[in-house]
Amino acid sequence: MKKLLLILLSCAFAQGVYAQEAPASPAKAGSHKHATSPAKFWCPKCEYSAPERGDCPTHNVALIKEGTYYCTEHNSEVSAQPGKCTQCNKKLTKMTAKTAKS
């Protein structure tokens, strides 16, 4: 009886673990989003953008990669996930083209 219960629990656990995996899909030619559009980097103070890392020529601040989170007061505070600035405890803002233009 104990063996049967152990086997059933093992099967249920294994089924739950593998149910979380996304099904594999074959890659289509040219369907990769980043292959056609390189990452954009934006100035947090103006509309300037560039295809690679660097500094804004107008404001002399580091460009922030689109999609990352940054502190509006401390541009050096950058994170891949939302959170709070370690220096001023403000909520991090996600860098998007719309954010850069405002």
Side-chain angles (χ1 to χ4, degrees):
M1 186 69 174
K2 288 181 183 180
K3 286 183 182 180
L4 180 61
L5 183 60
L6 183 61
I7 291 171
L8 287 174
L9 286 174
S10 298
C11 289
F13 176 75
Q15 193 175 25
V17 170
Y18 291 112
Q20 300 300 319
E21 284 187 25
S25 61
K28 295 178 184 176
S31 67
H32 190 65
K33 180 180 177 183
H34 299 291
T36 56
S37 60
K40 282 225 174 184
F41 293 83
W42 293 91
C43 173
K45 297 185 177 191
C46 67
E47 296 181 18
Y48 179 78
S49 71
E52 55 192 35
R53 277 191 177 90
D55 290 340
C56 175
T58 307
H59 297 100
N60 201 25
V61 295
L63 300 178
I64 299 171
K65 185 177 180 180
E66 188 171 3
T68 58
Y69 293 85
Y70 73 103
C71 177
T72 55
E73 292 193 27
H74 305 99
N75 297 333
S76 60
E77 280 291 319
V78 180
S79 174
Q81 294 101 7
K84 293 193 175 192
C85 176
T86 57
Q87 296 178 26
C88 65
N89 212 26
K90 277 181 74 175
K91 184 178 176 183
L92 298 178
T93 305
K94 187 172 185 175
M95 175 54 78
T96 60
K98 187 177 181 181
T99 307
K101 293 178 183 179
S102 58

